[in-house]
Amino acid sequence: MASNAKQPRQTESPMLTTLRAEHRHIANIMKLFSGQLQSLELGEPADPVVIYEIMEYMVTWPDRYHHPREDLIYSRAAELNGELAGSLKALQLEHDSMARKGREVLAQVEAWQSGKLDDAALIDSGRAYVQCSYDHMSDEEEVVFPLIEASLTAQDWRELAADNQLRPVSDPLFGPRVQRRYRNVARKLRRNIHRRVEQGAMTEWLAVEALMESLEVLSMAQDSAYAVTSNHLRAAWDDSRDIIRQTPLSAPLRCAANNTRQTFHWMGEVLEITRDTIDDLGRVSRERRERIKLLKERG
Ligand SMILES: [Fe+2]
Ligand SMILES: [Fe+2]
C-alpha cells in the first residue's frame, strides 16, 4: 500500500522563503531607482543622495550577502542533481557579472554627481541594471527555486542550515534598524507614492508630503541618537566594570577620565546626527520648492 514515490514538500524551505523576501526588498529598491531615473528623464527633481545610497546598498548588501548565500545553496543543489548544474552555474556567473555592473553603475553615479556624466548616460545604465536585477530574480523564483525545492530533501536542508555562512545577516536597510548611511533611501521607500493629481490639490499634497517626510527625518534621527546613546552607556558601563576589577584603588579617577572621554565621543556623534538631520530637512524642503516651481512652470 505504501508508495515509494517521493512526496512533494508541502511547505517551502525557510531558506528559499528568506531569499524570496530579500528579492521583494531588492525589487522595492529597484522600483525606487526606476522612479528616480524617470524623474531625471522628465526633468523633474531627482535626489542624487538617494540614487547614491541605492547603488551603494546594492553593491554592499545583495552582492555581499544575498548572492553568496545563493551560491552556496546552488553548489549543493548542483552536487545533488546534475541536471540542474548548467542553469545553476549560469546564475552563479550572473552574480559575478551583476556585482561588476553594480560597481560600474555606482562609479557612474559618482561621476554624474560631480557633473562628469550626463543624465542620459546614467538613465541608460541604471535602467539596464534594474532590468538585469528583475530578470535574474524572476529566473530564480519562477524556474530555479522550484527545481531546487524538488531536488533537496529535508536532510539536505538541515545540513545547509548547519552552515554558518548561510545564516541570514541583518539587512542595514530593511532590517530592524536602518543604518544611518541609508537613512535617505529608507525615508524615500517609506514615502514612495506616485502622484498624478490635478495641480491645485498637488501643491497642497506636496506640502503635506514634505511635512510627512520631515517627520520621518526627525523620527530616524531620534532612533539614531537613541542607538548611539545606548551604545555609549553600555560601553561606559563595561569599561568602568573592567577598570574597577583591574585597579580598584585608582578606579574612581580612571573611571571619571574614561567617562569624560566617552561623553565627548558621544557628543561628537550626536552633533554629527544633528548636522545630517539639518541637511536632510533642507533637502526635503528644497525638493518641495523645486516640485512646486515645476508645477507652476508646466501649469
Ligand atoms: Fe541570485
Ligand atoms: Fe536572488
Side-chain angles (χ1 to χ4, degrees):
M1 178 176 165
S3 163
N4 287 330
K6 189 178 173 185
Q7 294 296 314
R9 288 161 59 94
Q10 294 302 307
T11 53
E12 188 178 59
S13 148
M15 276 190 197
L16 292 183
T17 305
T18 304
L19 293 175
R20 281 184 199 275
E22 290 170 3
H23 284 176
R24 282 197 294 281
H25 293 154
I26 295 171
N28 279 340
I29 204 164
M30 289 295 94
K31 188 173 161 201
L32 177 64
F33 192 23
S34 295
Q36 292 284 315
L37 294 173
Q38 193 187 2
S39 294
L40 264 186
E41 189 174 54
L42 297 174
E44 293 178 357
D47 190 329
V49 176
V50 168
I51 292 176
Y52 175 82
E53 287 181 16
I54 288 171
M55 285 314 301
E56 209 272 332
Y57 170 79
M58 289 304 293
V59 303
T60 300
W61 204 84
D63 286 341
R64 282 198 206 154
Y65 299 105
H66 176 81
H67 298 150
R69 282 175 24 250
E70 286 177 336
D71 285 341
L72 289 171
I73 296 173
Y74 295 171
S75 298
R76 180 80 177 126
E79 282 169 20
L80 294 165
N81 184 346
E83 286 175 25
L84 282 181
S87 22
L88 293 172
K89 186 70 196 163
L91 285 176
Q92 287 174 309
L93 290 174
E94 264 183 32
H95 288 164
D96 296 340
S97 68
M98 283 166 70
R100 212 168 35 248
K101 281 181 194 154
R103 288 193 299 272
E104 280 168 17
V105 177
L106 179 61
Q108 285 180 313
V109 169
E110 289 174 309
W112 170 72
Q113 282 177 318
S114 58
K116 292 179 193 145
L117 187 82
D118 62 21
D119 291 355
L122 183 68
I123 292 166
D124 282 352
S125 60
R127 281 189 175 148
Y129 180 81
V130 170
Q131 193 56 51
C132 183
S133 296
Y134 282 144
D135 291 345
H136 179 81
M137 291 191 291
S138 159
D139 282 350
E140 289 182 327
E141 295 215 6
E142 286 164 30
V143 181
V144 173
F145 285 4
L147 293 172
I148 291 179
E149 192 63 55
S151 304
L152 268 62
T153 63
Q155 179 58 27
D156 295 327
W157 286 114
R158 270 196 294 277
E159 285 172 18
L160 281 169
D163 186 338
N164 270 336
Q165 297 176 85
L166 278 168
R167 298 207 186 288
V169 179
S170 182
D171 188 310
L173 175 56
F174 295 98
R177 187 175 288 283
V178 175
Q179 281 185 12
R180 278 179 60 216
R181 61 193 168 129
Y182 299 125
R183 66 188 183 282
N184 293 289
V185 67
R187 192 179 72 236
K188 283 286 178 202
L189 283 169
R190 289 182 198 177
R191 304 226 52 78
N192 191 15
I193 301 164
H194 282 286
R195 341 125 176 121
R196 288 285 176 265
V197 284
E198 52 95 14
Q199 184 175 331
M202 181 71 126
T203 308
E204 283 175 31
W205 172 246
L206 285 174
V208 172
E209 203 188 20
L211 173 66
M212 299 303 288
E213 208 167 323
S214 301
L215 291 174
E216 295 278 10
V217 170
L218 294 172
S219 147
M220 293 176 86
Q222 192 181 2
D223 279 357
S224 298
Y226 179 77
V228 162
T229 305
S230 305
N231 290 344
H232 277 276
L233 283 175
R234 205 172 304 121
W237 171 258
D238 290 347
D239 285 356
S240 298
R241 210 180 38 201
D242 292 344
I243 290 170
I244 291 167
R245 203 177 293 141
Q246 289 159 9
T247 52
L249 286 180
S250 59
L253 276 177
R254 291 188 61 206
C255 283
N258 184 57
N259 287 347
T260 305
R261 189 177 52 78
Q262 294 264 13
T263 302
F264 276 116
H265 191 196
W266 168 77
M267 282 169 69
E269 287 201 49
V270 171
L271 199 64
E272 199 181 315
I273 292 171
T274 309
R275 265 198 301 264
D276 287 346
T277 306
I278 292 168
D279 282 354
D280 294 348
L281 288 172
R283 210 162 38 248
V284 169
S285 167
R286 202 159 48 244
E287 188 179 326
R288 181 183 70 92
R289 283 199 305 274
E290 283 171 9
R291 285 193 183 279
I292 289 176
K293 186 166 159 247
L294 200 70
L295 268 179
K296 285 182 181 156
E297 283 169 9
R298 290 180 179 177

